Amino acid sequence: MNTDWMSRTIAEVDPDVATALENERLRQNNNLEMIASENFVSQAVLTAAGSIMTNKYAEGYPGRRYYGGCEQYDIVENLARDRARELFGAEHANVQPHSGAQANMAVLMAMVKPGSTILGLDLSHGGHLTHGHPLNYSGKSFNVVPYGVKKDTERIDYESIAALAAEHKPRLIICGASAYPRTIDFERIGQIARENDALVLADIAHIAGLVVAGLHPSPVPHCDFVTTTTHKTLRGPRGGLILCREAFAKDVDRALFPGVQGGPLMHAVAAKAVAFREALEPRFAEYQKQVLLNAAALADALVGLGWRLVSGGTENHLVLLDVFSKGVTGKVAEKALERASITVNKNTIPFDTQPPLVASGIRLGTPALTTRGMDEDDMRAIAGFIDRVLSAPGDDSVAAAVRADVEALCARYPLYL
Ligand code: DSN
């Protein structure tokens, strides 16, 4: 072994990346991470994700690999699959998707012929690129009929899904969302699909942790396919997961590999196994309860300060704040909050009058702050910080004062030391 080559530290090999990593550690410690799709993994998950399992090809599935030396990889992948099935009560799990987008692509490739019709929630109403956006493979490959939310309630319009399904007879209906603060009625969508001989895919990337904890109704009994990322409320490494009925297992597995992906990222699969084990612990459900309590406290406090929330509130881990109702664009709000060490993303709201890169809203989530240990009192304080910044988005002295308050709050909840 070339000992020098193997044993140098990252700081010795690459001071530029080492510095970026250290600065990112400081950012994660000193900022309020409120992007609804982000979270912080445990040291155990980090260890697996940064492990020597990055060194190996393991194309294929446990017991059927195209490479030798996969004994430990079979063990790890089987653990991840078994734990995923147990967590969600699913018949089959594929833990190899590199991302949620790849998970969705595999299901669509397995089940829907190019040119066939699919239904999906419009991106600007809270959906996702892979649910049929014209710029995504899903929009380019299929005839997409989008559905949306009702204008008055800003909640999913189930009657319109039923009417569109009856009219267009889709091969598959996609449900699930990336910016929707309300409970999704998977049972109803499953029923609409069955009435129209359609398959149904539920993408639960945002709410998977809530589903595991029994705090959001599970799509598994009602939907043929369930996909999720593993790094949002589920609090695992960056990656994807597919769950399906046994009858579809072979087709889905084949569509993912060799259809969509090559060699799996086995260090990520190992980290998924660890995260799923954590999610089986009772304290994971306690964490998810606090995520919901925190989102509700944040929503109530923002409404109390005179802000309009899309749909009037939240039933999950996120709120969509209509900042343009007070004349601030999402773009300006995102930048102003960033100057105060509060990280959010601009987001279109239903029936938005602004283009997507400007947007009328911002999306705020509580999963990452809750992992740090923050509670409802902290959320009320944070609502006050956000109100101060957004009431004077161009004022640097306000941003500086709030940044000092944010850093004091973060110091009470240290993260990666
Ligand atoms: N980018 C994710 C999110 O922020 O919700 C969706 O893929």
PDB file of all heavy atoms in Angstrom, residues 116-119 143-146 160-172 196 198:
ATOM      1  N   SER A 116     -48.110   7.582 -23.285  1.00  0.00           N
ATOM      2  CA  SER A 116     -49.339   7.312 -22.513  1.00  0.00           C
ATOM      3  C   SER A 116     -49.636   8.488 -21.588  1.00  0.00           C
ATOM      4  O   SER A 116     -48.779   9.324 -21.316  1.00  0.00           O
ATOM      5  CB  SER A 116     -49.178   6.056 -21.663  1.00  0.00           C
ATOM      6  OG  SER A 116     -48.849   4.965 -22.479  1.00  0.00           O
ATOM      7  N   THR A 117     -50.853   8.493 -21.072  1.00  0.00           N
ATOM      8  CA  THR A 117     -51.298   9.625 -20.250  1.00  0.00           C
ATOM      9  C   THR A 117     -51.054   9.381 -18.763  1.00  0.00           C
ATOM     10  O   THR A 117     -51.319   8.291 -18.252  1.00  0.00           O
ATOM     11  CB  THR A 117     -52.801   9.878 -20.507  1.00  0.00           C
ATOM     12  OG1 THR A 117     -52.958  10.184 -21.893  1.00  0.00           O
ATOM     13  CG2 THR A 117     -53.334  11.021 -19.658  1.00  0.00           C
ATOM     14  N   ILE A 118     -50.529  10.417 -18.099  1.00  0.00           N
ATOM     15  CA  ILE A 118     -50.423  10.382 -16.633  1.00  0.00           C
ATOM     16  C   ILE A 118     -51.028  11.671 -16.065  1.00  0.00           C
ATOM     17  O   ILE A 118     -51.072  12.695 -16.750  1.00  0.00           O
ATOM     18  CB  ILE A 118     -48.968  10.230 -16.131  1.00  0.00           C
ATOM     19  CG1 ILE A 118     -48.095  11.422 -16.574  1.00  0.00           C
ATOM     20  CG2 ILE A 118     -48.354   8.928 -16.598  1.00  0.00           C
ATOM     21  CD1 ILE A 118     -46.709  11.446 -15.907  1.00  0.00           C
ATOM     22  N   LEU A 119     -51.491  11.588 -14.827  1.00  0.00           N
ATOM     23  CA  LEU A 119     -51.971  12.770 -14.105  1.00  0.00           C
ATOM     24  C   LEU A 119     -50.971  13.094 -12.999  1.00  0.00           C
ATOM     25  O   LEU A 119     -50.453  12.166 -12.353  1.00  0.00           O
ATOM     26  CB  LEU A 119     -53.322  12.473 -13.440  1.00  0.00           C
ATOM     27  CG  LEU A 119     -54.618  12.960 -14.106  1.00  0.00           C
ATOM     28  CD1 LEU A 119     -54.734  12.410 -15.514  1.00  0.00           C
ATOM     29  CD2 LEU A 119     -55.840  12.551 -13.283  1.00  0.00           C
ATOM     30  N   ASN A 143     -47.939  11.962 -21.973  1.00  0.00           N
ATOM     31  CA  ASN A 143     -48.974  12.978 -22.159  1.00  0.00           C
ATOM     32  C   ASN A 143     -49.470  13.348 -20.764  1.00  0.00           C
ATOM     33  O   ASN A 143     -50.173  12.570 -20.123  1.00  0.00           O
ATOM     34  CB  ASN A 143     -50.096  12.397 -23.025  1.00  0.00           C
ATOM     35  CG  ASN A 143     -51.275  13.315 -23.096  1.00  0.00           C
ATOM     36  OD1 ASN A 143     -51.130  14.525 -23.220  1.00  0.00           O
ATOM     37  ND2 ASN A 143     -52.475  12.743 -22.992  1.00  0.00           N
ATOM     38  N   VAL A 144     -49.072  14.511 -20.276  1.00  0.00           N
ATOM     39  CA  VAL A 144     -49.337  14.857 -18.878  1.00  0.00           C
ATOM     40  C   VAL A 144     -50.592  15.718 -18.759  1.00  0.00           C
ATOM     41  O   VAL A 144     -50.724  16.743 -19.436  1.00  0.00           O
ATOM     42  CB  VAL A 144     -48.148  15.625 -18.262  1.00  0.00           C
ATOM     43  CG1 VAL A 144     -48.450  16.003 -16.813  1.00  0.00           C
ATOM     44  CG2 VAL A 144     -46.877  14.794 -18.345  1.00  0.00           C
ATOM     45  N   VAL A 145     -51.485  15.293 -17.888  1.00  0.00           N
ATOM     46  CA  VAL A 145     -52.660  16.107 -17.567  1.00  0.00           C
ATOM     47  C   VAL A 145     -52.490  16.560 -16.114  1.00  0.00           C
ATOM     48  O   VAL A 145     -52.559  15.742 -15.189  1.00  0.00           O
ATOM     49  CB  VAL A 145     -53.969  15.298 -17.727  1.00  0.00           C
ATOM     50  CG1 VAL A 145     -55.174  16.150 -17.349  1.00  0.00           C
ATOM     51  CG2 VAL A 145     -54.088  14.760 -19.137  1.00  0.00           C
ATOM     52  N   PRO A 146     -52.191  17.852 -15.907  1.00  0.00           N
ATOM     53  CA  PRO A 146     -51.966  18.305 -14.532  1.00  0.00           C
ATOM     54  C   PRO A 146     -53.277  18.552 -13.780  1.00  0.00           C
ATOM     55  O   PRO A 146     -54.266  18.935 -14.394  1.00  0.00           O
ATOM     56  CB  PRO A 146     -51.197  19.615 -14.701  1.00  0.00           C
ATOM     57  CG  PRO A 146     -51.420  20.058 -16.099  1.00  0.00           C
ATOM     58  CD  PRO A 146     -51.973  18.922 -16.892  1.00  0.00           C
ATOM     59  N   SER A 160     -61.722  17.395  -9.146  1.00  0.00           N
ATOM     60  CA  SER A 160     -61.135  17.593 -10.470  1.00  0.00           C
ATOM     61  C   SER A 160     -60.239  16.406 -10.848  1.00  0.00           C
ATOM     62  O   SER A 160     -60.194  16.016 -12.014  1.00  0.00           O
ATOM     63  CB  SER A 160     -60.391  18.934 -10.530  1.00  0.00           C
ATOM     64  OG  SER A 160     -59.034  18.766 -10.719  1.00  0.00           O
ATOM     65  N   ILE A 161     -59.581  15.778  -9.875  1.00  0.00           N
ATOM     66  CA  ILE A 161     -58.799  14.566 -10.208  1.00  0.00           C
ATOM     67  C   ILE A 161     -59.745  13.495 -10.752  1.00  0.00           C
ATOM     68  O   ILE A 161     -59.465  12.850 -11.770  1.00  0.00           O
ATOM     69  CB  ILE A 161     -58.045  14.005  -8.983  1.00  0.00           C
ATOM     70  CG1 ILE A 161     -57.110  15.052  -8.381  1.00  0.00           C
ATOM     71  CG2 ILE A 161     -57.267  12.751  -9.365  1.00  0.00           C
ATOM     72  CD1 ILE A 161     -56.369  14.571  -7.126  1.00  0.00           C
ATOM     73  N   ALA A 162     -60.901  13.339 -10.072  1.00  0.00           N
ATOM     74  CA  ALA A 162     -61.871  12.311 -10.508  1.00  0.00           C
ATOM     75  C   ALA A 162     -62.369  12.622 -11.915  1.00  0.00           C
ATOM     76  O   ALA A 162     -62.452  11.728 -12.774  1.00  0.00           O
ATOM     77  CB  ALA A 162     -63.029  12.236  -9.521  1.00  0.00           C
ATOM     78  N   ALA A 163     -62.679  13.896 -12.169  1.00  0.00           N
ATOM     79  CA  ALA A 163     -63.212  14.272 -13.488  1.00  0.00           C
ATOM     80  C   ALA A 163     -62.141  14.088 -14.570  1.00  0.00           C
ATOM     81  O   ALA A 163     -62.417  13.548 -15.654  1.00  0.00           O
ATOM     82  CB  ALA A 163     -63.692  15.727 -13.450  1.00  0.00           C
ATOM     83  N   LEU A 164     -60.904  14.501 -14.264  1.00  0.00           N
ATOM     84  CA  LEU A 164     -59.825  14.370 -15.258  1.00  0.00           C
ATOM     85  C   LEU A 164     -59.510  12.897 -15.528  1.00  0.00           C
ATOM     86  O   LEU A 164     -59.244  12.501 -16.673  1.00  0.00           O
ATOM     87  CB  LEU A 164     -58.561  15.095 -14.774  1.00  0.00           C
ATOM     88  CG  LEU A 164     -58.649  16.629 -14.731  1.00  0.00           C
ATOM     89  CD1 LEU A 164     -57.432  17.217 -14.008  1.00  0.00           C
ATOM     90  CD2 LEU A 164     -58.735  17.202 -16.147  1.00  0.00           C
ATOM     91  N   ALA A 165     -59.562  12.085 -14.469  1.00  0.00           N
ATOM     92  CA  ALA A 165     -59.281  10.644 -14.651  1.00  0.00           C
ATOM     93  C   ALA A 165     -60.364  10.008 -15.519  1.00  0.00           C
ATOM     94  O   ALA A 165     -60.064   9.199 -16.406  1.00  0.00           O
ATOM     95  CB  ALA A 165     -59.196   9.962 -13.293  1.00  0.00           C
ATOM     96  N   ALA A 166     -61.626  10.398 -15.284  1.00  0.00           N
ATOM     97  CA  ALA A 166     -62.731   9.829 -16.083  1.00  0.00           C
ATOM     98  C   ALA A 166     -62.605  10.271 -17.539  1.00  0.00           C
ATOM     99  O   ALA A 166     -62.870   9.495 -18.463  1.00  0.00           O
ATOM    100  CB  ALA A 166     -64.064  10.265 -15.487  1.00  0.00           C
ATOM    101  N   GLU A 167     -62.176  11.508 -17.742  1.00  0.00           N
ATOM    102  CA  GLU A 167     -62.099  12.032 -19.117  1.00  0.00           C
ATOM    103  C   GLU A 167     -60.887  11.473 -19.881  1.00  0.00           C
ATOM    104  O   GLU A 167     -60.993  11.085 -21.043  1.00  0.00           O
ATOM    105  CB  GLU A 167     -62.004  13.568 -19.054  1.00  0.00           C
ATOM    106  CG  GLU A 167     -62.001  14.220 -20.436  1.00  0.00           C
ATOM    107  CD  GLU A 167     -61.751  15.732 -20.354  1.00  0.00           C
ATOM    108  OE1 GLU A 167     -61.879  16.318 -19.249  1.00  0.00           O
ATOM    109  OE2 GLU A 167     -61.424  16.301 -21.412  1.00  0.00           O
ATOM    110  N   HIS A 168     -59.732  11.415 -19.195  1.00  0.00           N
ATOM    111  CA  HIS A 168     -58.483  11.093 -19.918  1.00  0.00           C
ATOM    112  C   HIS A 168     -58.029   9.653 -19.748  1.00  0.00           C
ATOM    113  O   HIS A 168     -57.110   9.216 -20.431  1.00  0.00           O
ATOM    114  CB  HIS A 168     -57.362  12.039 -19.471  1.00  0.00           C
ATOM    115  CG  HIS A 168     -57.634  13.472 -19.804  1.00  0.00           C
ATOM    116  ND1 HIS A 168     -57.400  13.997 -21.052  1.00  0.00           N
ATOM    117  CD2 HIS A 168     -58.148  14.490 -19.057  1.00  0.00           C
ATOM    118  CE1 HIS A 168     -57.751  15.285 -21.063  1.00  0.00           C
ATOM    119  NE2 HIS A 168     -58.204  15.599 -19.854  1.00  0.00           N
ATOM    120  N   LYS A 169     -58.654   8.921 -18.847  1.00  0.00           N
ATOM    121  CA  LYS A 169     -58.294   7.514 -18.611  1.00  0.00           C
ATOM    122  C   LYS A 169     -56.764   7.319 -18.562  1.00  0.00           C
ATOM    123  O   LYS A 169     -56.153   6.642 -19.394  1.00  0.00           O
ATOM    124  CB  LYS A 169     -58.902   6.623 -19.705  1.00  0.00           C
ATOM    125  CG  LYS A 169     -60.424   6.564 -19.658  1.00  0.00           C
ATOM    126  CD  LYS A 169     -60.883   5.813 -18.417  1.00  0.00           C
ATOM    127  CE  LYS A 169     -62.387   5.868 -18.228  1.00  0.00           C
ATOM    128  NZ  LYS A 169     -62.813   5.462 -16.890  1.00  0.00           N
ATOM    129  N   PRO A 170     -56.105   7.936 -17.578  1.00  0.00           N
ATOM    130  CA  PRO A 170     -54.636   7.840 -17.515  1.00  0.00           C
ATOM    131  C   PRO A 170     -54.183   6.421 -17.190  1.00  0.00           C
ATOM    132  O   PRO A 170     -54.913   5.661 -16.542  1.00  0.00           O
ATOM    133  CB  PRO A 170     -54.281   8.784 -16.360  1.00  0.00           C
ATOM    134  CG  PRO A 170     -55.482   8.772 -15.483  1.00  0.00           C
ATOM    135  CD  PRO A 170     -56.656   8.646 -16.408  1.00  0.00           C
ATOM    136  N   ARG A 171     -52.981   6.110 -17.612  1.00  0.00           N
ATOM    137  CA  ARG A 171     -52.380   4.830 -17.216  1.00  0.00           C
ATOM    138  C   ARG A 171     -51.994   4.886 -15.732  1.00  0.00           C
ATOM    139  O   ARG A 171     -52.052   3.905 -15.022  1.00  0.00           O
ATOM    140  CB  ARG A 171     -51.136   4.582 -18.092  1.00  0.00           C
ATOM    141  CG  ARG A 171     -50.208   3.502 -17.619  1.00  0.00           C
ATOM    142  CD  ARG A 171     -50.781   2.121 -17.801  1.00  0.00           C
ATOM    143  NE  ARG A 171     -49.765   1.114 -17.523  1.00  0.00           N
ATOM    144  CZ  ARG A 171     -50.040  -0.080 -17.025  1.00  0.00           C
ATOM    145  NH1 ARG A 171     -51.287  -0.449 -16.773  1.00  0.00           N
ATOM    146  NH2 ARG A 171     -49.068  -0.939 -16.800  1.00  0.00           N
ATOM    147  N   LEU A 172     -51.574   6.089 -15.293  1.00  0.00           N
ATOM    148  CA  LEU A 172     -51.084   6.205 -13.913  1.00  0.00           C
ATOM    149  C   LEU A 172     -51.362   7.610 -13.373  1.00  0.00           C
ATOM    150  O   LEU A 172     -51.286   8.588 -14.117  1.00  0.00           O
ATOM    151  CB  LEU A 172     -49.571   5.912 -13.898  1.00  0.00           C
ATOM    152  CG  LEU A 172     -48.834   5.929 -12.563  1.00  0.00           C
ATOM    153  CD1 LEU A 172     -47.780   4.801 -12.532  1.00  0.00           C
ATOM    154  CD2 LEU A 172     -48.133   7.244 -12.308  1.00  0.00           C
ATOM    155  N   ASN A 196     -60.949   3.999 -12.477  1.00  0.00           N
ATOM    156  CA  ASN A 196     -60.588   4.311 -13.862  1.00  0.00           C
ATOM    157  C   ASN A 196     -59.493   3.394 -14.406  1.00  0.00           C
ATOM    158  O   ASN A 196     -58.839   3.719 -15.394  1.00  0.00           O
ATOM    159  CB  ASN A 196     -60.146   5.778 -13.954  1.00  0.00           C
ATOM    160  CG  ASN A 196     -61.306   6.730 -13.706  1.00  0.00           C
ATOM    161  OD1 ASN A 196     -62.115   6.941 -14.586  1.00  0.00           O
ATOM    162  ND2 ASN A 196     -61.410   7.254 -12.494  1.00  0.00           N
ATOM    163  N   ALA A 198     -56.613   2.841 -13.447  1.00  0.00           N
ATOM    164  CA  ALA A 198     -55.293   3.481 -13.496  1.00  0.00           C
ATOM    165  C   ALA A 198     -54.435   2.951 -12.347  1.00  0.00           C
ATOM    166  O   ALA A 198     -54.957   2.535 -11.309  1.00  0.00           O
ATOM    167  CB  ALA A 198     -55.429   4.995 -13.372  1.00  0.00           C
TER     168      ALA A 198
END
